[in-house]
Amino acid sequence: MLERSQLAANALQALHDEDYDVPFNTQSLNHDGLIFMGGRQQTSMNGDWTFCVDLLDTGLRQKWYAMLPEAPENRTEPWDYDPYMGETVPVPSNWAMLKEKWYFFEGSAWYTRPLDLDEIDGTKRQFLRFGAASYDCKVFLNGEFLGNHYGASTPFCVELTGRLKPGRNWIMACVNNTRTRDRVPMRNTDWFNYGGLYREVSFFETSKSLIRDFFLYLVPDGTYSTLRAEVTVDGPELETARLAIPGLGVTLDIPVDETGRGKLEFSARPDLWSPETPTLYDVTVRFGEDLVTDRVGFRQIERRGTDILLNGEALFLRGISVHEDDARLGKVTTEEDLRRRFADARDLGCNYLRLAHYPHHERAAQLADELGFLLWEEIPVYWAIDFANPATYRDAENQLTELIRRDRNRASVIIWSVGNENPDTDARLTFMQGLAETCKNLDPTRLTSAACLVNHAQNRIEDRLADHIDIIGLNEYYGWYEENFEDLAAIGVNSNPDRPVVISETGADGVIGEKGPQKGLFSEEYMAEVYRKQIGTLRQLDYVKGMSPWILYDFRVERRQNIFQNGYNHKGLIAADKQTRKKAFRILSDFYHQIAASEEKAREAS
Ligand code: GCB
């Protein structure tokens, strides 16, 4: 911590230092530091944190993080912010949702709170875990910088071992949501730039030896009879980790090598997980004193020609896209919100959701596992990205790795998507190919996809990326952005994909209530008509193996400001109140229920 006399000198120096942030942009908090969390006891760090927005980055320049707590009357130098007093905000939250004057704020904000510990157990290791911080988060403990994380939607851990003292410790986080060219996403998106610590923060302890990573899956060889377990451990050397799956009568030792990795394949015949029978097995792994648990489903997803098969059976993905957005809470996700989301998807007749355009709260995939929904998960390689910049690639690959490591035990997740509507350049191809390979290296049990491009002159699907992914995602807005609806039928005829196509987006804005027009663009009626026509055309294309129209709920976005939009994208089948269903809801639900009924009939007949 800074001595008092240093503060004034530091304040002057800070006025002229334009490289003040360089030492902090380390990205040292990344996938390497992630820890498998299943079943771990955690102390919640949610609740009130003192808070201050800091447009000019005065805090980093003046080193606010190094100030000691002091009563104002005892301070001997003037100060621009006291992290230990003043306004508080709840964590998790997005500052835009807390005060009108913070609504459009983009920049740094400081969060401070105490961590009180009676004593420090020297036989243990201590960590903080942040569920997500948007976008850049620099973490400090008792005035010391511990590292920085990039990426708005994936978790990260910070090790505190050896740095804590008995009694009061201070945690500080500087969270910055500035949109810059080298980030993922870049500067322009069609969703609101919610800043803040908007997912749970927790403190936890482990033994010296710990399980960092655990991946358990059905080997996708078509026999449905082999499971593979992979662990990564760290800490004092032990030779084995013990795996138990009581429901399968499995208790086995996984040998661990000197690098801390272990892998084991064994025979088992689990009941298979599917949306109709979402069977999950309780699993535990012990490594020394460290114990983690999970609930894991086993299934095989594959593509064969233009088919997508789940457990050997061809299926149609009856989906809907969804953002993480709430009129009152912003990007903060609650259990109630997630359960409503799945209930609405169920009413719609869905067996599948596209979680757009970034990793959603980890609870989403846990619930999908339990309730029986298939998921597309995605990282925000969205629109313009600085594809030629190695730093951008590092960021994207790290976010992808964090997402995969967080969710790869979730049977519900069947697709990793590596990008959305990016221009077809060589740099983009190399970038996205690299990401698709990363998916396969980290996870042999899922398909890859991306929202690909159409050659509008020739009216056919054409994207060099398509050769490097399993499913061609297609965002098409015929009847909305693309006026000539007949072109969709032409694309259908002119395209001859060798792999399945999933319509990852389609739709139209429909504004309801007094402000909504009665007819024409932005009317509920027009939107319904687009759905009718889309369904009429798409149902005839035999290589279209699923769809996730845009979108379940209306969502907030800065760039849409016409008199009907008012800062919202109104393509939701349900309005922003998450209650009022528009006419198009019924049209899609009739279609999906029909498909489900005929699949059911076929199943009964076979
Ligand atoms: C798209 C984007 C999505 C937008 C949507 C729209 O193609 O992928 O993020 O929100 O269109 O409504 O324009």
Side-chain angles (χ1 to χ4, degrees):
M1 293 236 171
L2 282 191
E3 294 302 321
R4 274 186 224 142
S5 55
Q6 284 178 283
L7 275 173
N10 181 50
L12 284 179
Q13 194 190 337
L15 301 178
H16 307 290
D17 180 9
E18 278 312 305
D19 291 324
Y20 63 91
D21 61 338
V22 173
F24 301 102
N25 292 329
T26 57
Q27 293 179 55
S28 52
L29 306 176
N30 54 44
H31 67 87
D32 277 335
L34 263 187
I35 294 176
F36 187 86
M37 293 306 289
R40 290 194 189 281
Q41 255 195 15
Q42 302 174 56
T43 306
S44 172
M45 295 281 113
N46 295 348
D48 287 347
W49 293 54
T50 50
F51 179 80
C52 173
V53 296
D54 178 17
L55 183 66
L56 305 181
D57 269 346
T58 310
L60 287 177
R61 294 168 189 272
Q62 289 184 354
K63 303 188 172 53
W64 289 348
Y65 54 86
M67 284 171 71
L68 295 165
E70 193 76 82
E73 64 272 23
N74 295 337
R75 292 210 188 272
T76 54
E77 310 284 357
W79 62 97
D80 289 329
Y81 175 59
D82 185 332
Y84 306 98
M85 39 182 46
E87 187 150 34
T88 63
V89 296
V91 168
S93 67
N94 293 113
W95 61 67
M97 296 293 96
L98 300 176
K99 279 198 178 170
E100 215 175 332
K101 67 176 181 180
W102 293 335
Y103 190 72
F104 283 125
F105 178 76
E106 294 186 325
S108 287
W110 290 85
Y111 291 78
T112 307
R113 68 155 285 157
L115 168 62
D116 293 324
L117 300 166
D118 293 340
E119 53 183 350
I120 312 299
D121 184 344
T123 67
K124 298 222 156 119
R125 295 168 71 168
Q126 291 81 22
F127 298 90
L128 283 177
R129 183 181 196 262
F130 292 78
S134 177
Y135 177 92
D136 164 335
C137 183
K138 301 168 183 16
V139 182
F140 302 87
L141 175 76
N142 298 329
E144 186 188 353
F145 173 59
L146 296 189
N148 135 269
H149 181 262
Y150 275 11
S153 312
T154 42
F156 54 97
C157 297
V158 192
E159 180 147 18
L160 309 180
T161 314
R163 297 193 155 90
L164 290 162
K165 50 185 196 225
R168 179 148 283 196
N169 295 272
W170 287 99
I171 307 166
M172 235 183 256
C174 176
V175 181
N176 184 305
N177 71 334
T178 307
R179 292 164 297 111
T180 67
R181 284 192 73 118
D182 59 348
R183 290 192 175 163
V184 182
M186 208 175 170
R187 291 187 296 195
N188 189 21
T189 61
D190 198 45
W191 67 87
F192 194 90
N193 183 21
Y194 292 110
L197 291 180
Y198 69 95
R199 289 190 191 144
E200 296 73 10
V201 182
S202 63
F203 169 77
F204 66 97
E205 290 190 297
T206 69
S207 52
K208 290 281 182 202
S209 305
L210 70 95
I211 298 156
R212 277 211 171 260
D213 192 28
F214 169 57
F215 183 23
L216 178 66
Y217 56 93
L218 181 71
V219 176
D221 60 3
T223 67
Y224 309 101
S225 61
T226 307
L227 302 189
R228 186 181 292 147
E230 297 177 15
V231 289
T232 306
V233 296
D234 100 29
E237 271 166 45
L238 290 171
E239 279 168 9
T240 55
R242 170 148 288 212
L243 169 74
I245 315 174
L248 293 174
V250 167
T251 314
L252 287 167
D253 284 338
I254 309 173
V256 173
D257 66 19
E258 61 289 350
T259 69
R261 283 168 211 278
K263 210 181 243 190
L264 184 74
E265 246 177 56
F266 53 96
S267 300
R269 277 214 172 265
D271 290 341
L272 298 179
W273 183 99
S274 73
E276 295 76 31
T277 55
T279 312
L280 299 175
Y281 289 88
D282 286 321
V283 178
T284 62
V285 190
R286 179 178 282 287
F287 180 64
E289 286 168 37
D290 199 32
L291 178 77
V292 294
T293 64
D294 208 351
R295 278 164 66 68
V296 181
F298 302 102
R299 53 97 188 106
Q300 180 169 326
I301 189 84
E302 66 194 301
R303 71 153 166 116
R304 209 177 291 158
T306 58
D307 276 333
I308 300 172
L309 293 95
L310 179 68
N311 301 330
E313 257 182 52
L315 91 166
F316 186 87
L317 299 173
R318 292 173 271 124
I320 188 70
S321 296
V322 58
H323 256 300
E324 212 168 40
D325 192 90
D326 187 80
R328 195 171 54 86
L329 295 175
K331 241 174 104 57
V332 175
T333 303
T334 61
E335 179 81 12
E336 181 198 357
D337 189 49
L338 283 174
R339 288 196 180 267
R340 174 177 46 210
R341 179 197 285 187
F342 287 118
D344 284 330
R346 180 83 77 209
D347 281 359
L348 195 55
C350 292
N351 59 3
Y352 161 73
L353 282 90
R354 175 187 182 191
L355 305 187
H357 278 298
Y358 38 73
H360 286 213
H361 193 289
E362 56 212 289
R363 186 76 189 125
Q366 290 166 358
L367 270 177
D369 264 18
E370 283 171 27
L371 300 171
F373 284 94
L374 301 161
L375 296 179
W376 154 311
E377 292 199 340
E378 151 173 13
I379 55 164
V381 177
Y382 183 91
W383 291 353
I385 291 282
D386 190 2
F387 286 117
N389 184 344
T392 309
Y393 184 78
R394 209 168 41 244
D395 185 7
E397 193 178 59
N398 183 57
Q399 292 186 45
L400 182 65
T401 307
E402 288 172 340
L403 170 64
I404 293 177
R405 285 198 37 202
R406 193 193 73 178
D407 282 0
R408 64 183 166 172
N409 282 349
R410 303 283 71 81
S412 52
V413 180
I414 53 166
I415 297 168
W416 302 123
S417 169
V418 294
N420 187 77
E421 295 178 353
N422 315 102
D424 189 5
T425 61
D426 290 348
R428 174 259 201 176
L429 187 62
T430 310
F431 190 103
M432 307 258 284
Q433 233 179 298
L435 294 179
E437 276 165 27
T438 300
C439 293
K440 295 292 180 190
N441 290 340
L442 292 172
D443 178 7
T445 73
R446 288 179 178 83
L447 305 176
T448 52
S449 189
C452 295
L453 304 170
V454 163
N455 177 335
H456 289 286
Q458 309 274 330
N459 271 337
R460 64 163 184 256
I461 301 169
E462 198 176 285
D463 192 326
R464 289 180 291 165
L465 180 62
D467 293 340
H468 304 281
I469 51 183
D470 297 306
I471 295 178
I472 300 172
L474 189 64
N475 296 354
E476 54 85 1
Y477 283 91
Y478 289 89
W480 187 250
Y481 298 122
E482 313 288 344
E483 291 153 48
N484 188 3
F485 201 85
E486 306 320 312
D487 286 353
L488 179 59
I491 289 173
V493 175
N494 298 341
S495 306
N496 186 19
D498 61 348
R499 56 200 74 201
V501 171
V502 166
I503 305 298
S504 32
E505 289 178 31
T506 184
D509 282 66
V511 182
I512 53 168
E514 277 168 27
K515 290 190 181 150
Q518 289 310 305
K519 56 180 197 287
L521 295 174
F522 292 98
S523 69
E524 195 184 356
E525 206 46 70
Y526 188 94
M527 175 189 183
E529 189 51 26
V530 168
Y531 269 79
R532 269 184 219 110
K533 284 163 106 174
Q534 282 283 347
I535 290 167
T537 305
L538 293 173
R539 69 188 314 164
Q540 296 171 37
L541 303 179
D542 57 3
Y543 53 77
V544 170
K545 289 298 153 55
M547 53 197 280
S548 52
W550 197 250
I551 185 167
L552 188 55
Y553 305 110
D554 287 355
F555 61 97
R556 190 179 271 114
V557 49
E558 290 101 322
R559 63 192 277 277
R560 300 193 182 265
Q561 297 296 343
N562 83 26
I563 56 161
F564 302 125
Q565 296 167 321
N566 289 311
Y568 268 83
N569 184 315
H570 286 283
K571 295 190 186 68
L573 292 173
I574 303 178
D577 63 6
K578 297 189 172 164
Q579 301 291 337
T580 316
R581 293 177 178 181
K582 303 179 194 171
K583 283 185 180 148
F585 186 100
R586 183 66 194 272
I587 294 164
L588 187 63
S589 88
D590 284 351
F591 175 53
Y592 282 170
H593 282 107
Q594 259 173 37
I595 301 179
S598 58
E599 279 180 1
E600 183 61 33
K601 240 191 207 159
R603 222 174 284 132
E604 275 165 17
S606 69

